[in-house]
Amino acid sequence: MFPCKFDLHNHTVASGHAYSTIEEIAARAGKIGLELVGISDHGPSMPGGPHLYHFGNRLAVPKLIEGVEILFGVEANIISTCGQLDLPPSILGSLDFVAAGLHPATGYEGENKADNTKALICAMENPDLDFIVHPGNPRFPMDVEAVVQAAVRTGVALELNNSSLTICRRGSEGTCFELAKRMAQLGGKVILGSDSHASCNVGNLDAALDLAKRAGLRAEQILNTSRELLEQHLAARRRLKA
Ligand SMILES: [Zn+2]
Ligand SMILES: [Zn+2]
């Protein structure tokens, strides 16, 4: 049994191409029995994405909505091969969690596998970063072995993105499986994310969970299986920042 207790990867209307509010996401999370839900709107470099003020105003959002705890984070954009993120450290440090990944049309100019691998590894060196999202995206090919080694060394969790297996980023599954298998062997941490852009998809983690199990990942490597695992992960990252 690998029951998932939370889903941190959810987008609100603030992302510019998503369709639900924080209240709708919280209500959906409560309805399907999640105790915790994350809000992870795109960083400001995403076309149509939120202004930095969106993140600066996060205290306007209650910590509990509809009985569901809210973690307010970001899905930042990695915008250079040096792993630079599109929010300043002062804001990154104020958020409950920081996820980041490579996205088209956000100013990232890496051109090949070597560039993408370097960008991901450099981003993982950033102590503000907690998770790398959808690293299996075929649009940004990377060296699986090097990325997994860096994730294990830095303690960053790699995401298995449910939408990459069901809705978008077609062709992700082979790399995701390879990556998950290697993480299972080396004892790294993964996080499952729905990447919901509409509240009906909040907590949809089945495809990612199935892939994780097939790859041999153990429950203690999958952060979603335990609130304590998540808290330990975030606390370890915060210590790095201190
Ligand atoms: Zn999006
Ligand atoms: Zn993304």
Side-chain angles (χ1 to χ4, degrees), residues 112-151:
N112 53 42
K113 192 169 170 174
D115 288 345
N116 301 336
T117 303
K118 179 166 181 266
L120 290 170
I121 292 175
C122 290
M124 285 190 263
E125 305 288 352
N126 182 344
D128 281 323
L129 184 74
D130 303 304
F131 317 111
I132 289 283
V133 293
H134 46 67
N137 186 358
R139 180 153 184 166
F140 297 102
M142 46 87 203
D143 180 333
V144 170
E145 181 65 22
V147 168
V148 168
Q149 294 269 1

PDB file of all heavy atoms in Angstrom, residues 112-151:
ATOM      1  N   ASN A 112      20.877  21.634 -25.967  1.00  0.00           N
ATOM      2  CA  ASN A 112      21.089  20.198 -26.149  1.00  0.00           C
ATOM      3  C   ASN A 112      21.144  19.489 -24.794  1.00  0.00           C
ATOM      4  O   ASN A 112      21.013  20.116 -23.737  1.00  0.00           O
ATOM      5  CB  ASN A 112      22.387  19.962 -26.938  1.00  0.00           C
ATOM      6  CG  ASN A 112      23.566  20.696 -26.294  1.00  0.00           C
ATOM      7  OD1 ASN A 112      23.705  20.708 -25.063  1.00  0.00           O
ATOM      8  ND2 ASN A 112      24.396  21.329 -27.107  1.00  0.00           N
ATOM      9  N   LYS A 113      21.378  18.182 -24.883  1.00  0.00           N
ATOM     10  CA  LYS A 113      21.378  17.344 -23.692  1.00  0.00           C
ATOM     11  C   LYS A 113      22.395  17.816 -22.661  1.00  0.00           C
ATOM     12  O   LYS A 113      22.101  17.865 -21.460  1.00  0.00           O
ATOM     13  CB  LYS A 113      21.678  15.913 -24.146  1.00  0.00           C
ATOM     14  CG  LYS A 113      21.459  14.841 -23.130  1.00  0.00           C
ATOM     15  CD  LYS A 113      21.541  13.484 -23.845  1.00  0.00           C
ATOM     16  CE  LYS A 113      21.561  12.367 -22.835  1.00  0.00           C
ATOM     17  NZ  LYS A 113      21.500  11.050 -23.494  1.00  0.00           N
ATOM     18  N   ALA A 114      23.570  18.197 -23.133  1.00  0.00           N
ATOM     19  CA  ALA A 114      24.614  18.644 -22.197  1.00  0.00           C
ATOM     20  C   ALA A 114      24.184  19.918 -21.477  1.00  0.00           C
ATOM     21  O   ALA A 114      24.350  20.058 -20.257  1.00  0.00           O
ATOM     22  CB  ALA A 114      25.933  18.867 -22.941  1.00  0.00           C
ATOM     23  N   ASP A 115      23.598  20.854 -22.230  1.00  0.00           N
ATOM     24  CA  ASP A 115      23.116  22.106 -21.625  1.00  0.00           C
ATOM     25  C   ASP A 115      22.037  21.820 -20.590  1.00  0.00           C
ATOM     26  O   ASP A 115      22.036  22.380 -19.486  1.00  0.00           O
ATOM     27  CB  ASP A 115      22.496  23.025 -22.697  1.00  0.00           C
ATOM     28  CG  ASP A 115      23.535  23.643 -23.617  1.00  0.00           C
ATOM     29  OD1 ASP A 115      24.726  23.616 -23.282  1.00  0.00           O
ATOM     30  OD2 ASP A 115      23.130  24.153 -24.686  1.00  0.00           O
ATOM     31  N   ASN A 116      21.071  20.978 -20.965  1.00  0.00           N
ATOM     32  CA  ASN A 116      19.945  20.708 -20.063  1.00  0.00           C
ATOM     33  C   ASN A 116      20.413  20.005 -18.790  1.00  0.00           C
ATOM     34  O   ASN A 116      19.942  20.304 -17.691  1.00  0.00           O
ATOM     35  CB  ASN A 116      18.897  19.835 -20.763  1.00  0.00           C
ATOM     36  CG  ASN A 116      18.351  20.479 -22.020  1.00  0.00           C
ATOM     37  OD1 ASN A 116      18.393  21.696 -22.159  1.00  0.00           O
ATOM     38  ND2 ASN A 116      17.856  19.673 -22.942  1.00  0.00           N
ATOM     39  N   THR A 117      21.358  19.093 -18.960  1.00  0.00           N
ATOM     40  CA  THR A 117      21.886  18.369 -17.798  1.00  0.00           C
ATOM     41  C   THR A 117      22.584  19.348 -16.856  1.00  0.00           C
ATOM     42  O   THR A 117      22.371  19.313 -15.634  1.00  0.00           O
ATOM     43  CB  THR A 117      22.879  17.274 -18.271  1.00  0.00           C
ATOM     44  OG1 THR A 117      22.191  16.415 -19.189  1.00  0.00           O
ATOM     45  CG2 THR A 117      23.414  16.471 -17.108  1.00  0.00           C
ATOM     46  N   LYS A 118      23.375  20.238 -17.443  1.00  0.00           N
ATOM     47  CA  LYS A 118      24.093  21.226 -16.627  1.00  0.00           C
ATOM     48  C   LYS A 118      23.096  22.137 -15.904  1.00  0.00           C
ATOM     49  O   LYS A 118      23.241  22.426 -14.708  1.00  0.00           O
ATOM     50  CB  LYS A 118      25.012  22.056 -17.533  1.00  0.00           C
ATOM     51  CG  LYS A 118      25.790  23.135 -16.814  1.00  0.00           C
ATOM     52  CD  LYS A 118      26.915  23.673 -17.702  1.00  0.00           C
ATOM     53  CE  LYS A 118      27.710  24.745 -16.971  1.00  0.00           C
ATOM     54  NZ  LYS A 118      27.267  26.099 -17.230  1.00  0.00           N
ATOM     55  N   ALA A 119      22.066  22.579 -16.632  1.00  0.00           N
ATOM     56  CA  ALA A 119      21.064  23.479 -16.030  1.00  0.00           C
ATOM     57  C   ALA A 119      20.378  22.813 -14.842  1.00  0.00           C
ATOM     58  O   ALA A 119      20.209  23.421 -13.777  1.00  0.00           O
ATOM     59  CB  ALA A 119      20.031  23.880 -17.080  1.00  0.00           C
ATOM     60  N   LEU A 120      19.990  21.552 -15.011  1.00  0.00           N
ATOM     61  CA  LEU A 120      19.281  20.845 -13.932  1.00  0.00           C
ATOM     62  C   LEU A 120      20.203  20.627 -12.736  1.00  0.00           C
ATOM     63  O   LEU A 120      19.807  20.836 -11.579  1.00  0.00           O
ATOM     64  CB  LEU A 120      18.750  19.499 -14.441  1.00  0.00           C
ATOM     65  CG  LEU A 120      17.597  19.583 -15.450  1.00  0.00           C
ATOM     66  CD1 LEU A 120      17.315  18.224 -16.076  1.00  0.00           C
ATOM     67  CD2 LEU A 120      16.334  20.135 -14.787  1.00  0.00           C
ATOM     68  N   ILE A 121      21.439  20.224 -13.009  1.00  0.00           N
ATOM     69  CA  ILE A 121      22.366  19.954 -11.902  1.00  0.00           C
ATOM     70  C   ILE A 121      22.709  21.249 -11.162  1.00  0.00           C
ATOM     71  O   ILE A 121      22.711  21.297  -9.930  1.00  0.00           O
ATOM     72  CB  ILE A 121      23.639  19.235 -12.420  1.00  0.00           C
ATOM     73  CG1 ILE A 121      23.262  17.829 -12.886  1.00  0.00           C
ATOM     74  CG2 ILE A 121      24.712  19.169 -11.325  1.00  0.00           C
ATOM     75  CD1 ILE A 121      24.384  17.051 -13.532  1.00  0.00           C
ATOM     76  N   CYS A 122      22.943  22.317 -11.910  1.00  0.00           N
ATOM     77  CA  CYS A 122      23.252  23.602 -11.249  1.00  0.00           C
ATOM     78  C   CYS A 122      22.062  24.080 -10.431  1.00  0.00           C
ATOM     79  O   CYS A 122      22.235  24.620  -9.331  1.00  0.00           O
ATOM     80  CB  CYS A 122      23.655  24.656 -12.269  1.00  0.00           C
ATOM     81  SG  CYS A 122      25.256  24.330 -13.004  1.00  0.00           S
ATOM     82  N   ALA A 123      20.852  23.884 -10.947  1.00  0.00           N
ATOM     83  CA  ALA A 123      19.657  24.289 -10.183  1.00  0.00           C
ATOM     84  C   ALA A 123      19.592  23.505  -8.875  1.00  0.00           C
ATOM     85  O   ALA A 123      19.208  24.047  -7.828  1.00  0.00           O
ATOM     86  CB  ALA A 123      18.398  24.069 -11.016  1.00  0.00           C
ATOM     87  N   MET A 124      19.973  22.242  -8.921  1.00  0.00           N
ATOM     88  CA  MET A 124      19.920  21.407  -7.707  1.00  0.00           C
ATOM     89  C   MET A 124      20.934  21.846  -6.647  1.00  0.00           C
ATOM     90  O   MET A 124      20.787  21.526  -5.473  1.00  0.00           O
ATOM     91  CB  MET A 124      20.122  19.932  -8.065  1.00  0.00           C
ATOM     92  CG  MET A 124      18.887  19.316  -8.698  1.00  0.00           C
ATOM     93  SD  MET A 124      19.029  17.528  -8.837  1.00  0.00           S
ATOM     94  CE  MET A 124      19.567  17.360 -10.513  1.00  0.00           C
ATOM     95  N   GLU A 125      21.952  22.564  -7.081  1.00  0.00           N
ATOM     96  CA  GLU A 125      22.933  23.070  -6.108  1.00  0.00           C
ATOM     97  C   GLU A 125      22.357  24.239  -5.310  1.00  0.00           C
ATOM     98  O   GLU A 125      22.922  24.655  -4.304  1.00  0.00           O
ATOM     99  CB  GLU A 125      24.214  23.543  -6.807  1.00  0.00           C
ATOM    100  CG  GLU A 125      24.902  22.525  -7.699  1.00  0.00           C
ATOM    101  CD  GLU A 125      25.583  21.411  -6.910  1.00  0.00           C
ATOM    102  OE1 GLU A 125      25.651  21.508  -5.675  1.00  0.00           O
ATOM    103  OE2 GLU A 125      26.023  20.438  -7.561  1.00  0.00           O
ATOM    104  N   ASN A 126      21.248  24.794  -5.783  1.00  0.00           N
ATOM    105  CA  ASN A 126      20.632  25.943  -5.117  1.00  0.00           C
ATOM    106  C   ASN A 126      19.891  25.460  -3.864  1.00  0.00           C
ATOM    107  O   ASN A 126      18.938  24.685  -3.964  1.00  0.00           O
ATOM    108  CB  ASN A 126      19.651  26.608  -6.097  1.00  0.00           C
ATOM    109  CG  ASN A 126      18.989  27.837  -5.533  1.00  0.00           C
ATOM    110  OD1 ASN A 126      18.999  28.064  -4.324  1.00  0.00           O
ATOM    111  ND2 ASN A 126      18.406  28.630  -6.405  1.00  0.00           N
ATOM    112  N   PRO A 127      20.308  25.921  -2.693  1.00  0.00           N
ATOM    113  CA  PRO A 127      19.657  25.422  -1.467  1.00  0.00           C
ATOM    114  C   PRO A 127      18.194  25.829  -1.336  1.00  0.00           C
ATOM    115  O   PRO A 127      17.476  25.265  -0.526  1.00  0.00           O
ATOM    116  CB  PRO A 127      20.502  26.041  -0.346  1.00  0.00           C
ATOM    117  CG  PRO A 127      21.247  27.157  -0.968  1.00  0.00           C
ATOM    118  CD  PRO A 127      21.402  26.842  -2.417  1.00  0.00           C
ATOM    119  N   ASP A 128      17.740  26.796  -2.147  1.00  0.00           N
ATOM    120  CA  ASP A 128      16.321  27.170  -2.105  1.00  0.00           C
ATOM    121  C   ASP A 128      15.429  26.132  -2.788  1.00  0.00           C
ATOM    122  O   ASP A 128      14.213  26.151  -2.619  1.00  0.00           O
ATOM    123  CB  ASP A 128      16.096  28.521  -2.805  1.00  0.00           C
ATOM    124  CG  ASP A 128      16.495  29.689  -1.918  1.00  0.00           C
ATOM    125  OD1 ASP A 128      16.271  29.607  -0.704  1.00  0.00           O
ATOM    126  OD2 ASP A 128      17.039  30.669  -2.453  1.00  0.00           O
ATOM    127  N   LEU A 129      16.026  25.260  -3.566  1.00  0.00           N
ATOM    128  CA  LEU A 129      15.238  24.326  -4.387  1.00  0.00           C
ATOM    129  C   LEU A 129      14.913  23.043  -3.629  1.00  0.00           C
ATOM    130  O   LEU A 129      15.796  22.435  -3.024  1.00  0.00           O
ATOM    131  CB  LEU A 129      16.028  23.991  -5.651  1.00  0.00           C
ATOM    132  CG  LEU A 129      15.292  23.107  -6.652  1.00  0.00           C
ATOM    133  CD1 LEU A 129      14.229  23.900  -7.373  1.00  0.00           C
ATOM    134  CD2 LEU A 129      16.257  22.512  -7.651  1.00  0.00           C
ATOM    135  N   ASP A 130      13.651  22.634  -3.690  1.00  0.00           N
ATOM    136  CA  ASP A 130      13.229  21.402  -3.022  1.00  0.00           C
ATOM    137  C   ASP A 130      12.963  20.251  -3.990  1.00  0.00           C
ATOM    138  O   ASP A 130      13.201  19.088  -3.655  1.00  0.00           O
ATOM    139  CB  ASP A 130      11.949  21.657  -2.211  1.00  0.00           C
ATOM    140  CG  ASP A 130      12.135  22.767  -1.190  1.00  0.00           C
ATOM    141  OD1 ASP A 130      13.063  22.647  -0.370  1.00  0.00           O
ATOM    142  OD2 ASP A 130      11.383  23.762  -1.231  1.00  0.00           O
ATOM    143  N   PHE A 131      12.438  20.569  -5.178  1.00  0.00           N
ATOM    144  CA  PHE A 131      12.035  19.531  -6.134  1.00  0.00           C
ATOM    145  C   PHE A 131      12.350  19.971  -7.559  1.00  0.00           C
ATOM    146  O   PHE A 131      12.200  21.142  -7.893  1.00  0.00           O
ATOM    147  CB  PHE A 131      10.510  19.289  -6.098  1.00  0.00           C
ATOM    148  CG  PHE A 131       9.920  19.237  -4.729  1.00  0.00           C
ATOM    149  CD1 PHE A 131       9.077  20.252  -4.282  1.00  0.00           C
ATOM    150  CD2 PHE A 131      10.182  18.177  -3.879  1.00  0.00           C
ATOM    151  CE1 PHE A 131       8.510  20.213  -3.014  1.00  0.00           C
ATOM    152  CE2 PHE A 131       9.623  18.124  -2.610  1.00  0.00           C
ATOM    153  CZ  PHE A 131       8.787  19.142  -2.171  1.00  0.00           C
ATOM    154  N   ILE A 132      12.751  19.007  -8.380  1.00  0.00           N
ATOM    155  CA  ILE A 132      12.844  19.239  -9.831  1.00  0.00           C
ATOM    156  C   ILE A 132      11.608  18.615 -10.476  1.00  0.00           C
ATOM    157  O   ILE A 132      11.324  17.431 -10.256  1.00  0.00           O
ATOM    158  CB  ILE A 132      14.115  18.585 -10.428  1.00  0.00           C
ATOM    159  CG1 ILE A 132      15.377  19.343  -9.997  1.00  0.00           C
ATOM    160  CG2 ILE A 132      14.025  18.487 -11.955  1.00  0.00           C
ATOM    161  CD1 ILE A 132      15.636  20.653 -10.721  1.00  0.00           C
ATOM    162  N   VAL A 133      10.876  19.425 -11.240  1.00  0.00           N
ATOM    163  CA  VAL A 133       9.645  18.907 -11.843  1.00  0.00           C
ATOM    164  C   VAL A 133       9.876  18.349 -13.242  1.00  0.00           C
ATOM    165  O   VAL A 133      10.771  18.777 -13.957  1.00  0.00           O
ATOM    166  CB  VAL A 133       8.551  20.001 -11.922  1.00  0.00           C
ATOM    167  CG1 VAL A 133       8.088  20.389 -10.531  1.00  0.00           C
ATOM    168  CG2 VAL A 133       9.036  21.226 -12.692  1.00  0.00           C
ATOM    169  N   HIS A 134       9.050  17.410 -13.595  1.00  0.00           N
ATOM    170  CA  HIS A 134       9.035  16.700 -14.891  1.00  0.00           C
ATOM    171  C   HIS A 134      10.397  16.630 -15.595  1.00  0.00           C
ATOM    172  O   HIS A 134      10.533  17.064 -16.748  1.00  0.00           O
ATOM    173  CB  HIS A 134       7.953  17.247 -15.827  1.00  0.00           C
ATOM    174  CG  HIS A 134       7.842  18.736 -15.951  1.00  0.00           C
ATOM    175  ND1 HIS A 134       8.801  19.521 -16.531  1.00  0.00           N
ATOM    176  CD2 HIS A 134       6.861  19.596 -15.583  1.00  0.00           C
ATOM    177  CE1 HIS A 134       8.422  20.780 -16.517  1.00  0.00           C
ATOM    178  NE2 HIS A 134       7.249  20.848 -15.935  1.00  0.00           N
ATOM    179  N   PRO A 135      11.410  16.036 -14.934  1.00  0.00           N
ATOM    180  CA  PRO A 135      12.729  15.923 -15.604  1.00  0.00           C
ATOM    181  C   PRO A 135      12.706  14.986 -16.813  1.00  0.00           C
ATOM    182  O   PRO A 135      13.635  15.020 -17.619  1.00  0.00           O
ATOM    183  CB  PRO A 135      13.642  15.365 -14.492  1.00  0.00           C
ATOM    184  CG  PRO A 135      12.721  14.663 -13.548  1.00  0.00           C
ATOM    185  CD  PRO A 135      11.429  15.445 -13.584  1.00  0.00           C
ATOM    186  N   GLY A 136      11.646  14.192 -16.963  1.00  0.00           N
ATOM    187  CA  GLY A 136      11.587  13.256 -18.096  1.00  0.00           C
ATOM    188  C   GLY A 136      11.062  13.863 -19.383  1.00  0.00           C
ATOM    189  O   GLY A 136      10.915  13.159 -20.385  1.00  0.00           O
ATOM    190  N   ASN A 137      10.810  15.171 -19.388  1.00  0.00           N
ATOM    191  CA  ASN A 137      10.242  15.823 -20.571  1.00  0.00           C
ATOM    192  C   ASN A 137      11.154  15.644 -21.789  1.00  0.00           C
ATOM    193  O   ASN A 137      12.282  16.142 -21.801  1.00  0.00           O
ATOM    194  CB  ASN A 137      10.077  17.320 -20.268  1.00  0.00           C
ATOM    195  CG  ASN A 137       9.363  18.067 -21.377  1.00  0.00           C
ATOM    196  OD1 ASN A 137       9.006  17.483 -22.400  1.00  0.00           O
ATOM    197  ND2 ASN A 137       9.158  19.353 -21.162  1.00  0.00           N
ATOM    198  N   PRO A 138      10.680  14.969 -22.851  1.00  0.00           N
ATOM    199  CA  PRO A 138      11.547  14.739 -24.023  1.00  0.00           C
ATOM    200  C   PRO A 138      11.937  16.018 -24.753  1.00  0.00           C
ATOM    201  O   PRO A 138      12.874  16.013 -25.544  1.00  0.00           O
ATOM    202  CB  PRO A 138      10.687  13.828 -24.922  1.00  0.00           C
ATOM    203  CG  PRO A 138       9.299  13.981 -24.453  1.00  0.00           C
ATOM    204  CD  PRO A 138       9.348  14.371 -23.004  1.00  0.00           C
ATOM    205  N   ARG A 139      11.245  17.103 -24.488  1.00  0.00           N
ATOM    206  CA  ARG A 139      11.607  18.384 -25.114  1.00  0.00           C
ATOM    207  C   ARG A 139      12.956  18.887 -24.596  1.00  0.00           C
ATOM    208  O   ARG A 139      13.639  19.671 -25.260  1.00  0.00           O
ATOM    209  CB  ARG A 139      10.517  19.405 -24.815  1.00  0.00           C
ATOM    210  CG  ARG A 139      10.799  20.736 -25.409  1.00  0.00           C
ATOM    211  CD  ARG A 139       9.546  21.496 -25.698  1.00  0.00           C
ATOM    212  NE  ARG A 139       9.870  22.742 -26.368  1.00  0.00           N
ATOM    213  CZ  ARG A 139       8.994  23.497 -26.972  1.00  0.00           C
ATOM    214  NH1 ARG A 139       7.743  23.120 -27.018  1.00  0.00           N
ATOM    215  NH2 ARG A 139       9.351  24.622 -27.548  1.00  0.00           N
ATOM    216  N   PHE A 140      13.310  18.456 -23.386  1.00  0.00           N
ATOM    217  CA  PHE A 140      14.586  18.855 -22.781  1.00  0.00           C
ATOM    218  C   PHE A 140      15.357  17.601 -22.363  1.00  0.00           C
ATOM    219  O   PHE A 140      15.425  17.284 -21.173  1.00  0.00           O
ATOM    220  CB  PHE A 140      14.333  19.755 -21.561  1.00  0.00           C
ATOM    221  CG  PHE A 140      13.643  21.048 -21.886  1.00  0.00           C
ATOM    222  CD1 PHE A 140      12.291  21.210 -21.630  1.00  0.00           C
ATOM    223  CD2 PHE A 140      14.339  22.107 -22.460  1.00  0.00           C
ATOM    224  CE1 PHE A 140      11.643  22.407 -21.924  1.00  0.00           C
ATOM    225  CE2 PHE A 140      13.703  23.309 -22.762  1.00  0.00           C
ATOM    226  CZ  PHE A 140      12.350  23.456 -22.500  1.00  0.00           C
ATOM    227  N   PRO A 141      15.911  16.885 -23.339  1.00  0.00           N
ATOM    228  CA  PRO A 141      16.605  15.642 -23.002  1.00  0.00           C
ATOM    229  C   PRO A 141      17.767  15.894 -22.047  1.00  0.00           C
ATOM    230  O   PRO A 141      18.414  16.943 -22.109  1.00  0.00           O
ATOM    231  CB  PRO A 141      17.106  15.127 -24.355  1.00  0.00           C
ATOM    232  CG  PRO A 141      17.048  16.292 -25.276  1.00  0.00           C
ATOM    233  CD  PRO A 141      15.985  17.205 -24.759  1.00  0.00           C
ATOM    234  N   MET A 142      18.008  14.968 -21.137  1.00  0.00           N
ATOM    235  CA  MET A 142      19.119  15.136 -20.188  1.00  0.00           C
ATOM    236  C   MET A 142      19.745  13.773 -19.906  1.00  0.00           C
ATOM    237  O   MET A 142      19.190  12.734 -20.254  1.00  0.00           O
ATOM    238  CB  MET A 142      18.646  15.810 -18.906  1.00  0.00           C
ATOM    239  CG  MET A 142      17.369  15.272 -18.314  1.00  0.00           C
ATOM    240  SD  MET A 142      17.629  13.887 -17.211  1.00  0.00           S
ATOM    241  CE  MET A 142      16.045  13.098 -17.256  1.00  0.00           C
ATOM    242  N   ASP A 143      20.904  13.819 -19.278  1.00  0.00           N
ATOM    243  CA  ASP A 143      21.648  12.610 -18.931  1.00  0.00           C
ATOM    244  C   ASP A 143      21.056  12.063 -17.627  1.00  0.00           C
ATOM    245  O   ASP A 143      21.292  12.621 -16.555  1.00  0.00           O
ATOM    246  CB  ASP A 143      23.123  12.993 -18.765  1.00  0.00           C
ATOM    247  CG  ASP A 143      24.003  11.806 -18.404  1.00  0.00           C
ATOM    248  OD1 ASP A 143      23.493  10.840 -17.790  1.00  0.00           O
ATOM    249  OD2 ASP A 143      25.195  11.858 -18.719  1.00  0.00           O
ATOM    250  N   VAL A 144      20.293  10.990 -17.747  1.00  0.00           N
ATOM    251  CA  VAL A 144      19.573  10.455 -16.589  1.00  0.00           C
ATOM    252  C   VAL A 144      20.535  10.130 -15.447  1.00  0.00           C
ATOM    253  O   VAL A 144      20.299  10.499 -14.292  1.00  0.00           O
ATOM    254  CB  VAL A 144      18.761   9.196 -16.975  1.00  0.00           C
ATOM    255  CG1 VAL A 144      18.211   8.493 -15.745  1.00  0.00           C
ATOM    256  CG2 VAL A 144      17.615   9.581 -17.903  1.00  0.00           C
ATOM    257  N   GLU A 145      21.630   9.446 -15.780  1.00  0.00           N
ATOM    258  CA  GLU A 145      22.551   9.018 -14.722  1.00  0.00           C
ATOM    259  C   GLU A 145      23.127  10.233 -13.980  1.00  0.00           C
ATOM    260  O   GLU A 145      23.163  10.262 -12.746  1.00  0.00           O
ATOM    261  CB  GLU A 145      23.675   8.170 -15.317  1.00  0.00           C
ATOM    262  CG  GLU A 145      24.673   7.641 -14.295  1.00  0.00           C
ATOM    263  CD  GLU A 145      24.056   6.649 -13.290  1.00  0.00           C
ATOM    264  OE1 GLU A 145      23.004   6.052 -13.601  1.00  0.00           O
ATOM    265  OE2 GLU A 145      24.612   6.487 -12.191  1.00  0.00           O
ATOM    266  N   ALA A 146      23.524  11.255 -14.723  1.00  0.00           N
ATOM    267  CA  ALA A 146      24.122  12.437 -14.086  1.00  0.00           C
ATOM    268  C   ALA A 146      23.094  13.174 -13.228  1.00  0.00           C
ATOM    269  O   ALA A 146      23.407  13.647 -12.124  1.00  0.00           O
ATOM    270  CB  ALA A 146      24.687  13.377 -15.160  1.00  0.00           C
ATOM    271  N   VAL A 147      21.866  13.278 -13.723  1.00  0.00           N
ATOM    272  CA  VAL A 147      20.828  13.997 -12.973  1.00  0.00           C
ATOM    273  C   VAL A 147      20.451  13.225 -11.707  1.00  0.00           C
ATOM    274  O   VAL A 147      20.295  13.813 -10.629  1.00  0.00           O
ATOM    275  CB  VAL A 147      19.595  14.272 -13.880  1.00  0.00           C
ATOM    276  CG1 VAL A 147      18.394  14.734 -13.074  1.00  0.00           C
ATOM    277  CG2 VAL A 147      19.955  15.320 -14.934  1.00  0.00           C
ATOM    278  N   VAL A 148      20.327  11.918 -11.831  1.00  0.00           N
ATOM    279  CA  VAL A 148      19.980  11.116 -10.645  1.00  0.00           C
ATOM    280  C   VAL A 148      21.105  11.193  -9.609  1.00  0.00           C
ATOM    281  O   VAL A 148      20.844  11.376  -8.415  1.00  0.00           O
ATOM    282  CB  VAL A 148      19.686   9.652 -11.044  1.00  0.00           C
ATOM    283  CG1 VAL A 148      19.617   8.756  -9.810  1.00  0.00           C
ATOM    284  CG2 VAL A 148      18.369   9.576 -11.816  1.00  0.00           C
ATOM    285  N   GLN A 149      22.335  11.079 -10.069  1.00  0.00           N
ATOM    286  CA  GLN A 149      23.473  11.168  -9.137  1.00  0.00           C
ATOM    287  C   GLN A 149      23.451  12.510  -8.399  1.00  0.00           C
ATOM    288  O   GLN A 149      23.673  12.589  -7.197  1.00  0.00           O
ATOM    289  CB  GLN A 149      24.802  11.052  -9.890  1.00  0.00           C
ATOM    290  CG  GLN A 149      25.035   9.707 -10.539  1.00  0.00           C
ATOM    291  CD  GLN A 149      25.769   8.726  -9.629  1.00  0.00           C
ATOM    292  OE1 GLN A 149      26.080   9.053  -8.495  1.00  0.00           O
ATOM    293  NE2 GLN A 149      26.007   7.527 -10.136  1.00  0.00           N
ATOM    294  N   ALA A 150      23.160  13.583  -9.139  1.00  0.00           N
ATOM    295  CA  ALA A 150      23.133  14.914  -8.516  1.00  0.00           C
ATOM    296  C   ALA A 150      21.977  15.025  -7.525  1.00  0.00           C
ATOM    297  O   ALA A 150      22.113  15.637  -6.458  1.00  0.00           O
ATOM    298  CB  ALA A 150      23.014  15.998  -9.594  1.00  0.00           C
ATOM    299  N   ALA A 151      20.834  14.436  -7.877  1.00  0.00           N
ATOM    300  CA  ALA A 151      19.676  14.487  -6.970  1.00  0.00           C
ATOM    301  C   ALA A 151      19.994  13.764  -5.669  1.00  0.00           C
ATOM    302  O   ALA A 151      19.681  14.250  -4.573  1.00  0.00           O
ATOM    303  CB  ALA A 151      18.458  13.865  -7.649  1.00  0.00           C
TER     304      ALA A 151
END
